[in-house]
Amino acid sequence: MTIITEHSIALPIDLPSKDVHAKMDIFYNPVMISNRNISILLLNTINTKELQIADPLAGSGIRSLRFIKELAAGKIGRLCVNDLKPNFPSYFTKRLKDSKIKKTDKIIIENKEASRFLLDQAGFDYIDLDPFGSPNPFLGAAIARLSREGFLAITATDTAALTGTYPQVTRRKYWAEPMHNYLMHEIGLRILIRKIQLQGIQFDKALTPLLSYHKEHYFRIYFQASKGKEKCDALVKQHQYFLHCSSCLQFKNSGYNSEKCSCGKQFSVAGPLSIGALTDQKLIRKMAKNNLFPEETAFLDLLATEATIPQIGYYDLHEIARKLKKDPPRMENILKKIKAVRTHFSGTGIKTMASLEEIKKEFFPIHR
């Protein structure tokens, strides 16, 4: 038994010698510390109080324990913590005691299948779905119990399905064609957003992303719901295809899934997917400013900068260099010259409103 300290909470955990897995007696994933840090930061940044919060797949309960300790006073109205493991209620009660947290009627501990837990409740203002694998099995229940302007946080760790390693799985689970190249993480994230939005539309709930990103081995999206058929229809208009030319590296979004590139080659196609904004610029700037987790500073600053250029897709300097058979220019130089920003999807990627031809000019010394 190892004592794990994660910010305000210490937990006794039996960690496996290799990767974490779903059959652990008490599930705890140390890689997800950043995921939990950012959820706390986001909740402390949005202007809400007395939230009805659900943690349907609590595992070790670390997220909920940290919510109790680290969310601002008055932020939690009621916290419902659930996990299907048979010993979870006694385990979590003991962790409350160890953490010197008084068990009040604001803390509800349940021991049910996650969807049943959600459907047995009246509703929530914030639901955090952090499954091992795909969130698909829990989407319907979560969205059904999400309040009119509630917040839905979703993690997906089945990145192989979303990034095209197994295209048939993408088509079956996410109703879209993936793209297995350097763009696969952004494409996978946008496919996931569309799938979740379609689930919301069934309930006349328009789910707008506030913060979306890929990190480590997972995708993470925070949505805010709003009610109305017109808002849902507007989201559907944002569901298009992404077209990419493997020959010249041009890309675009389109309402059509078969087009030829201007270079004469056929575009590769991904989607349908969401072409809407991945992140709310005001929110991410405020989060970066309010951040109390030093280990998240660089990542939040990167997301805040990236959000200033609303480009679907990005250019990878090393991919362009391979096509041109040239060394890539220094990242700092090209960012200034073509008014580009880095992307969190790739250390060699940039987002810019400049054309591909303008970017290519920077690969030739005469233009530097």
Side-chain angles (χ1 to χ4, degrees), residues 233-252:
D233 290 342
L235 282 185
V236 172
K237 290 178 182 178
Q238 293 180 357
H239 296 170
Q240 295 188 18
Y241 294 95
F242 182 84
L243 310 180
H244 176 263
C245 180
S246 58
S247 179
C248 73
L249 303 182
Q250 293 277 8
F251 58 77
K252 59 185 283 193

Side-chain angles (χ1 to χ4, degrees), residues 48-339:
T48 53
K49 289 186 177 181
E50 294 294 314
L51 290 170
Q52 306 292 304
I53 297 175
D55 187 1
L57 298 158
S60 66
I62 183 67
R63 190 185 301 272
S64 288
L65 291 167
R66 289 189 60 191
F67 278 179
I68 297 167
K69 283 280 194 175
E70 299 175 41
L71 289 184
K75 185 68 70 171
I76 299 174
R78 180 176 61 120
L79 174 63
C80 294
V81 192
N82 176 77
D83 199 86
L84 188 56
K85 295 283 187 183
N87 62 341
F88 180 72
S90 59
Y91 172 84
F92 191 76
T93 300
K94 179 72 164 58
R95 299 289 78 78
L96 288 173
K97 185 177 179 181
D98 291 346
S99 303
K100 297 181 172 54
I101 297 170
K102 183 179 180 182
K103 172 68 170 72
T104 69
D105 56 6
K106 285 189 173 185
I107 303 172
I108 312 298
I109 307 170
E110 296 280 7
N111 187 208
K112 300 176 181 179
E113 187 278 325
S115 293
R116 172 53 53 196
F117 155 74
L118 288 165
L119 293 172
D120 283 347
Q121 306 293 325
F124 296 99
D125 305 310
Y126 177 88
I127 299 174
D128 202 307
L129 282 180
D130 186 14
F132 189 88
S134 173
N136 279 354
F138 316 105
L139 291 177
I143 294 168
R145 287 296 176 265
L146 189 65
S147 64
R148 182 177 289 268
E149 295 184 353
F151 301 89
L152 177 62
I154 292 182
T155 302
T157 62
D158 58 334
T159 52
L162 283 159
T163 56
T165 303
Y166 306 108
Q168 282 296 109
V169 179
T170 318
R171 297 174 195 126
R172 185 174 68 249
K173 287 188 174 182
Y174 295 103
W175 311 336
E177 189 70 28
M179 183 168 281
H180 195 60
N181 61 13
Y182 70 92
L183 290 156
M184 61 187 179
H185 293 117
E186 179 170 353
I187 299 304
L189 182 61
R190 291 182 179 278
I191 286 173
L192 178 60
I193 289 170
R194 171 184 174 264
K195 172 66 186 288
I196 296 166
Q197 287 177 332
L198 289 176
Q199 296 283 335
I201 287 166
Q202 296 177 114
F203 298 92
D204 286 338
K205 290 179 180 176
L207 298 173
T208 301
L210 296 179
L211 174 62
S212 318
Y213 61 88
H214 168 264
K215 194 175 188 184
E216 304 287 350
H217 67 288
Y218 65 91
F219 293 107
R220 180 71 164 171
I221 312 165
Y222 295 86
F223 295 94
Q224 184 168 20
S226 54
K227 195 78 172 172
K229 296 176 183 177
E230 294 82 6
K231 292 177 181 178
C232 290
D233 290 342
L235 282 185
V236 172
K237 290 178 182 178
Q238 293 180 357
H239 296 170
Q240 295 188 18
Y241 294 95
F242 182 84
L243 310 180
H244 176 263
C245 180
S246 58
S247 179
C248 73
L249 303 182
Q250 293 277 8
F251 58 77
K252 59 185 283 193
N253 53 278
S254 173
Y256 301 96
N257 64 358
S258 180
E259 289 187 32
K260 278 193 174 181
C261 179
S262 57
C263 75
K265 301 291 185 179
Q266 191 72 25
F267 278 118
S268 298
V269 180
L273 45 71
S274 170
I275 64 164
L278 296 177
T279 295
D280 181 276
Q281 290 189 43
K282 289 183 181 178
L283 175 64
I284 190 61
R285 285 200 300 268
K286 196 171 181 182
M287 287 175 65
K289 183 179 178 180
N290 295 346
N291 177 39
L292 298 177
F293 302 108
E295 65 269 36
E296 307 301 343
T297 299
F299 186 62
L300 291 167
D301 287 345
L302 177 56
L303 291 177
T305 303
E306 184 177 4
T308 61
I309 295 187
Q311 185 181 39
I312 297 96
Y314 61 90
Y315 296 104
D316 188 284
L317 297 183
H318 284 198
E319 290 291 324
I320 297 172
R322 275 193 282 273
K323 288 289 182 183
L324 298 177
K325 297 181 180 179
K326 292 281 187 179
D327 291 331
R330 290 177 59 85
M331 176 66 80
E332 294 76 12
N333 292 344
I334 200 166
L335 292 178
K336 291 178 182 177
K337 288 189 176 182
I338 62 169
K339 296 181 180 179

